[in-house]
Amino acid sequence: MQLRKLAVMGGTFDPVHYGHLVAAEGVRHEFQLEKVVFVPAGRPPHKTDHRISEAKHRLAMTTLAVASNPFFEVSDLEINRPGPSYTFDTVQEVYRRYRPEEVFFITGADAVLEILSWHRVQELLKRCCFIAATRPGHDLNNLKERLQELPPHLIARIVPLEVPALAISSSDIRRRVRAGKPIKYLLPEVVEEYIFIHGLYQQDLH
Ligand code: ATP
Ligand code: MG
């Protein structure tokens, strides 16, 4: 059976946390998606100045985190592609692999304005609709106002969506691990266990 609507959730996922999962589930329900594919970044073009954890760890943690949701899956398509990954190429590859009728791209409301500086943005917005999920500290009204500056055909392709706001970020989780503070209830227990078993985030990465 052909998939009708699929969303891509892109990110570094270093590590994946409940903010990502809640946003993805909220979007899935709201847009009646048949699948959400989490795509951990290989070498994110916007984060080249940071050291990020090995791809195999980020892939493993994301796989563990989504295992309990039948609508979620993980793809290694960016990780196994050499060089930096552009969202445009990822979206093309998702159309090729899954053959959906429509692709959505889920992003945090903070990241959405950055999109406009992305590689092949006009073509990208033609190929997929962006869903900007709320993130604490990022007012959706503010985003809507900023979007007014864009040409109308682009505004229509970026849809703001309010999801339960979780003030969780991967960088905060990494800092907490380093400082010996608890990360329990910020991310799935299986991911917490993985972090401790593999000794992740003990060193000062960034
Ligand atoms: P870092 O702190 O290292 O930047 P992060 O928590 O932002 O990590 P990413 O992997 O960069 O995690 O995020 C992937 C996507 O998920 C981005 O579009 C980001 O805006 C979104 N996102 C991250 N945290 C949340 C959250 N708490 N609520 C909603 N969206 C989020
Ligand atoms: Mg981020």
Side-chain angles (χ1 to χ4, degrees):
M1 199 188 75
Q2 199 196 0
L3 280 176
R4 243 167 27 85
K5 296 200 269 181
L6 171 158
V8 174
M9 175 95 193
T12 315
F13 303 124
D14 193 17
V16 60
H17 54 67
Y18 280 134
H20 301 131
L21 296 165
V22 166
E25 180 65 1
V27 172
R28 182 196 69 74
H29 176 259
E30 196 60 32
F31 291 84
Q32 300 176 351
L33 305 174
E34 285 149 302
K35 201 185 270 295
V36 179
V37 185
F38 287 66
V39 183
R43 274 207 289 131
H46 302 296
K47 289 194 177 177
T48 41
D49 51 331
H50 291 171
R51 283 191 53 208
I52 60 169
S53 302
E54 276 178 71
K56 67 168 188 196
H57 288 314
R58 294 182 292 108
L59 188 64
M61 289 189 284
T62 312
T63 304
L64 289 169
V66 305
S68 63
N69 190 326
F71 295 101
F72 288 0
E73 69 177 59
V74 180
S75 168
D76 62 2
L77 73 90
E78 286 198 5
I79 276 173
N80 283 332
R81 194 195 290 142
S85 293
Y86 290 108
T87 301
F88 182 80
D89 301 326
T90 301
V91 168
Q92 293 290 86
E93 183 62 18
V94 162
Y95 271 110
R96 211 183 56 76
R97 280 200 196 178
Y98 296 91
R99 310 227 161 261
E101 284 174 18
E102 203 178 350
V103 172
F104 295 75
F105 192 92
I106 307 172
T107 172
D110 57 333
V112 82
L113 293 168
E114 258 178 50
I115 295 169
L116 305 168
S117 64
W118 284 5
H119 179 69
R120 299 166 87 172
V121 65
Q122 304 265 353
E123 279 171 273
L124 178 62
L125 286 169
K126 266 190 219 143
R127 294 294 274 154
C128 77
C129 184
F130 273 74
I131 301 165
T134 9
R135 253 190 114 159
H138 294 272
D139 181 1
L140 274 189
N141 289 326
N142 190 10
L143 173 70
K144 284 179 194 158
E145 234 167 71
R146 291 285 313 273
L147 290 181
Q148 294 311 310
E149 297 162 16
L150 300 175
H153 70 283
L154 291 187
I155 300 178
R157 302 294 284 166
I158 303 176
V159 185
L161 180 76
E162 218 154 311
V163 298
L166 294 179
I168 303 176
S169 70
S170 303
S171 33
D172 181 54
I173 291 173
R174 295 191 298 271
R175 272 193 298 272
R176 287 176 153 276
V177 172
R178 239 175 6 252
K181 291 184 181 169
I183 56 169
K184 198 172 178 62
Y185 309 125
L186 298 177
L187 74 185
E189 252 166 57
V190 280
V191 178
E192 183 188 357
E193 280 165 18
Y194 188 98
I195 289 171
F196 290 115
I197 288 170
H198 294 272
L200 302 184
Y201 313 124
Q202 301 292 344
Q203 263 93 51
D204 204 352
L205 280 183
H206 30 95

